[in-house]
Amino acid sequence: MAKYTKLIGTIIFTLITFSVCSISQGQNSTNQTLTLSTIEGDPSYIDALYLAGYAFTNTDSADPSFVYQNGDFTFLEELSFLDKIDHSTNPLINKIKDKHASFLRGKSPYATFEENKERIIYASSRSDIYWSKSTANQLSVSVLEKSTNKETTDVFSLPDNLQKSDFMNLRDVYITYPKIYFTVGTSNPSTNTEALSVLSVDLEDSEPKLKLVREFDSEFNDTNNGNYTGLSTSNSRYLNLNSTYYSDEGESTVSKMAFYDYSEDKILDMPDSEKLSSPVVLEAEEGLYIAAAAEHGYTIYKADTAKSPVALSKITEISGSAESSTLYPTFIFNDSLYSYEEIYVDKNSTSFIQTNDLETGELTYRGKLTSNNEKDENVYFSLTEFELSE
């Protein structure tokens, strides 16, 4: 009898859980519809555009997060209960989930994933990313061979000279199979010491071990302009190194910038970088570009990394559409610069997506993000992902 009582209890609990979730979903369902409407230019530039973020209906509260893909917006709250559990704002993870769901089991959605024709590679820290604790100071790599569906996982401890660190955070990952490069920040409060180091492992070694490649000069205290949340989801050959200082108001100033080339193991100095206002590093197949803030827009420079120090040559100017706008250059694809723009008028914000020809600066597409929710005078958009889906 006890066996049946337990079974009945389990069934009742399951039904109640799904009922509560369904009721909650119905109560929270939004009547808001988002659109990305073309203002001018060729809409084919955004055929593969992927957006994820939040739509704020006022300054105090946010509607559920949304995703824009394949020309359609989806509010995540409108997904089924099971789809919500599996959903990620990273389009690569969602793509992997469709064919290799078991490979994602137990893995952090904030780690670095890389996929090619033969395999999928996952690289992460063993730290508890949700509570920002580093309990083991270990790094993990998992590889899925697509042809056999075989998965191998290796866990690596820090080299001896870094083992005494009380805290480790993973700043960047570069995957060029079979080599994996990790940039880690380590600190030891008891000795008041900090270090920023590059480690590597060759997975084809008979006994793969994590090796120290180099430690950076102590003046470099930041990477990728601070654009990381524990782990970087990008896979770039170049690491952007910065000397960043913070004012009493919390504003950051980059006094020196350089690049580290993982493949060549060398630092590429960039002279006069302190003269660039709010520099943004953009990588394309043709190389590196720097977008420096200018009046009402950005000046785009091509970085010649073959020269030492790095030589910058001005390419073009990218302008916003109004004096009150703020332009955010985001990525380069097929000789086009993709940007996100916000325009503030009378404390109201309007959001736009635009593309410009990289060489001429010519505007090739401009679209407006809008909502049909007439109850709200204004909708503020906050993007967490802005890229092209594969």
Side-chain angles (χ1 to χ4, degrees):
M1 184 65 183
K3 179 176 65 174
Y4 293 108
T5 301
K6 184 177 180 180
L7 177 60
I8 294 172
T10 302
I11 293 174
I12 293 174
F13 175 79
T14 303
L15 291 174
I16 291 174
T17 300
F18 276 94
S19 298
V20 170
C21 291
S22 299
I23 293 171
S24 175
Q25 181 175 335
Q27 290 176 338
N28 293 330
S29 181
T30 178
N31 293 321
Q32 185 168 247
T33 300
L34 304 180
T35 58
L36 175 54
S37 53
T38 298
I39 298 175
E40 60 179 299
D42 184 357
S44 66
Y45 280 94
I46 62 165
D47 282 348
L49 187 65
Y50 177 89
L51 303 174
Y54 299 88
F56 294 78
T57 53
N58 58 61
T59 56
D60 299 320
S61 63
D63 280 332
S65 55
F66 67 84
V67 164
Y68 173 86
Q69 190 172 22
N70 299 324
D72 293 318
F73 281 92
T74 301
F75 278 101
L76 300 191
E77 71 167 9
E78 296 173 349
L79 297 177
S80 68
F81 175 66
L82 293 178
D83 285 340
K84 282 182 183 179
I85 294 175
D86 291 336
H87 183 80
S88 171
T89 58
N90 185 334
L92 177 57
I93 293 179
N94 287 327
K95 177 184 175 184
I96 295 172
K97 179 187 65 178
D98 291 340
K99 294 184 178 180
H100 308 281
S102 61
F103 179 69
L104 297 176
R105 190 173 298 119
K107 295 178 173 60
S108 166
Y110 306 106
T112 300
F113 290 82
E114 182 69 12
E115 182 182 21
N116 55 40
K117 292 181 180 180
E118 294 81 22
R119 56 188 64 88
I120 301 173
I121 304 101
Y122 164 89
S124 73
S125 166
R126 296 277 287 181
S127 307
D128 182 350
I129 62 169
Y130 299 103
W131 298 102
S132 300
K133 290 193 300 184
S134 240
T135 56
N137 280 354
Q138 292 179 321
L139 300 169
S140 176
V141 175
S142 295
V143 178
L144 177 69
E145 298 292 341
K146 292 182 179 179
S147 60
T148 61
N149 207 34
K150 179 182 178 182
E151 178 181 346
T152 57
T153 298
D154 292 290
V155 177
F156 304 100
S157 297
L158 295 183
D160 292 341
N161 61 319
L162 296 177
Q163 277 290 356
K164 294 182 180 179
S165 300
D166 292 337
F167 181 81
M168 177 197 79
N169 61 78
L170 187 52
R171 302 288 188 89
D172 192 64
V173 175
Y174 175 52
I175 300 173
T176 175
Y177 190 87
K179 284 195 172 182
I180 315 290
Y181 294 88
F182 300 92
T183 295
V184 301
T186 53
S187 62
N188 191 335
S190 60
T191 58
N192 196 30
T193 58
E194 296 184 356
L196 188 62
S197 310
V198 175
L199 311 170
S200 73
V201 61
D202 190 329
L203 299 179
E204 290 188 348
D205 285 346
S206 56
E207 295 183 8
K209 290 184 179 181
L210 204 60
K211 300 176 182 178
L212 177 65
V213 177
R214 72 157 61 215
E215 291 183 321
F216 296 115
D217 190 281
S218 58
E219 69 175 322
F220 293 116
N221 58 3
D222 205 354
T223 60
N224 298 327
N225 296 95
N227 293 330
Y228 59 90
T229 52
L231 297 174
S232 170
T233 57
S234 64
N235 189 40
S236 172
R237 169 180 169 176
Y238 298 96
L239 175 70
N240 179 203
L241 296 167
N242 302 285
S243 297
T244 303
Y245 299 91
Y246 294 88
S247 66
D248 294 337
E249 293 77 22
E251 296 181 353
S252 62
T253 300
V254 176
S255 62
K256 183 177 180 181
M257 179 185 291
F259 298 101
Y260 174 70
D261 185 337
Y262 285 107
S263 296
E264 299 292 334
D265 184 27
K266 64 180 181 181
I267 293 179
L268 308 171
D269 291 317
M270 195 169 74
D272 301 326
S273 56
E274 69 278 1
K275 297 179 181 179
L276 300 176
S277 177
S278 304
V280 176
V281 181
L282 304 168
E283 186 171 0
E285 291 184 3
E286 299 79 14
L288 289 176
Y289 294 83
I290 308 293
E295 188 175 10
H296 309 318
Y298 273 80
T299 302
I300 308 299
Y301 299 91
K302 176 71 178 294
D304 188 349
T305 57
K307 294 183 179 180
S308 182
V310 173
L312 294 182
S313 57
K314 181 179 176 180
I315 300 297
T316 188
E317 298 279 348
I318 304 295
S319 299
S321 59
E323 291 186 4
S324 58
S325 74
T326 303
L327 198 62
Y328 302 96
T330 310
F331 65 86
I332 295 171
F333 179 74
N334 280 352
D335 297 322
S336 290
L337 173 62
Y338 287 69
S339 304
Y340 172 62
E341 182 183 31
E342 291 181 337
I343 297 180
Y344 296 91
V345 178
D346 297 330
K347 297 183 180 180
N348 288 332
S349 169
T350 310
S351 301
F352 299 86
I353 302 295
Q354 75 176 51
T355 65
N356 295 80
D357 185 281
L358 188 61
E359 295 296 325
T360 66
E362 177 188 359
L363 182 70
T364 52
Y365 173 82
R366 181 170 177 78
K368 182 179 180 181
L369 287 167
T370 58
S371 167
N372 73 339
N373 193 336
E374 298 178 354
K375 295 180 180 180
D376 300 293
E377 295 181 358
N378 192 44
V379 175
Y380 303 82
F381 291 90
S382 176
L383 296 183
T384 57
E385 299 282 348
F386 182 177
E387 58 188 284
L388 295 178
S389 56
E390 298 182 10

